[in-house]
Amino acid sequence: MQTNRELIVEPVGLDPETLPKPLDWAVLYGNSNPVELEIGMGKGTFLNEQARSRPDVNFFGIEWARWFWRYASDRMRRHGCTNARTVRAEAGFFLTEYVPPASIDVLHIYFPDPWPKARHHKRRLIQPKFVPLMARAVRPGGRVQVVTDHKGYWEENIEPTIRGAADFEVVDYNRPGSANEGEFVGTNFERKYRREGRPFYAIAAVRRSDSLPRENITPVAATA
């Protein structure tokens, strides 16, 4: 990936080594607005559009691929998204070490890497061992939203994991306002795959108000 433009990540892009554990969202953003977090933000299309259209919400993005993280951070900086922050980090570790318990209003996971080869399925983000991390991060009544174009990943992991999670109740999927007609999210991946005629699968769930608090969780390797 290349661009003719210099990519400047600050002040949107943050260095995890300089951040406190856990984060204090009110200190980080300078307000007490709700926080929505996306795992695997890619080029930042979703976060950029959401941050610009919803200034009363704080948005946080996690991305492991360095170029995508830099590109997305620079993109949001150029568009004046003062309510957006990002890090380049491994998702499972960051959720465990940095995200305060029950502090996320919506957890967005769009088009996570399907790791299609059978020997790589253990690397998939959405699987039973990841549910405790989601339940720990999302507040009671908060949402998890997942979209994929990969039927195998959907049938083998995503749908049974989310639908079978005791901490969550499946609800209707909320299409973001920044998505175009007929789109689930409006990311670069979705628009590319839609042109190729691929089907899409989406699911949403809310954390049950009676689910037990999740405090000490062992990190799992997860990058999306």
Side-chain angles (χ1 to χ4, degrees), residues 113-173:
D113 193 330
W115 294 103
K117 294 182 179 180
R119 67 177 182 272
H120 293 157
H121 284 185
K122 63 184 179 181
R123 300 183 183 181
R124 288 175 169 174
L125 179 72
I126 308 297
Q127 49 184 306
K129 66 181 182 180
F130 190 65
V131 171
L133 275 71
M134 296 192 299
R136 176 186 178 278
V138 176
R139 65 168 179 79
R143 299 174 65 90
V144 173
Q145 297 214 149
V146 186
V147 178
T148 184
D149 68 301
H150 195 278
K151 184 178 181 181
Y153 192 3
W154 170 259
E155 293 179 342
E156 295 159 11
N157 296 95
I158 295 175
E159 184 183 31
T161 295
I162 301 298
R163 197 171 293 279
D167 289 300
F168 291 92
E169 178 182 359
V170 173
V171 295
D172 291 339
Y173 176 83

Side-chain angles (χ1 to χ4, degrees), residues 15-158:
D15 180 355
E17 294 186 1
T18 68
L19 299 177
K21 297 180 182 179
L23 288 168
D24 185 324
W25 297 123
V27 172
L28 182 65
Y29 290 99
N31 60 60
S32 57
N33 292 340
V35 178
E36 299 191 14
L37 186 151
E38 182 182 15
I39 296 176
M41 64 183 176
K43 291 183 177 180
T45 301
F46 170 75
L47 280 186
N48 182 61
E49 294 301 320
Q50 289 291 292
R52 293 171 67 187
S53 63
R54 301 168 64 199
D56 57 340
V57 176
N58 295 323
F59 291 92
F60 198 93
I62 301 175
E63 175 58 52
W64 178 246
R66 185 174 184 274
W67 189 90
F68 283 120
W69 169 68
R70 290 181 59 80
Y71 183 93
S73 301
D74 176 73
R75 182 182 195 176
M76 286 180 269
R77 176 194 64 81
R78 289 185 289 107
H79 284 100
C81 297
T82 58
N83 58 330
R85 299 290 187 274
T86 69
V87 292
R88 178 180 178 266
E90 188 277 316
F93 175 77
F94 195 86
L95 287 182
T96 305
E97 296 292 322
Y98 290 90
V99 175
S103 66
I104 301 300
D105 272 55
V106 186
L107 179 63
H108 303 272
I109 305 173
Y110 301 132
F111 303 97
D113 193 330
W115 294 103
K117 294 182 179 180
R119 67 177 182 272
H120 293 157
H121 284 185
K122 63 184 179 181
R123 300 183 183 181
R124 288 175 169 174
L125 179 72
I126 308 297
Q127 49 184 306
K129 66 181 182 180
F130 190 65
V131 171
L133 275 71
M134 296 192 299
R136 176 186 178 278
V138 176
R139 65 168 179 79
R143 299 174 65 90
V144 173
Q145 297 214 149
V146 186
V147 178
T148 184
D149 68 301
H150 195 278
K151 184 178 181 181
Y153 192 3
W154 170 259
E155 293 179 342
E156 295 159 11
N157 296 95
I158 295 175

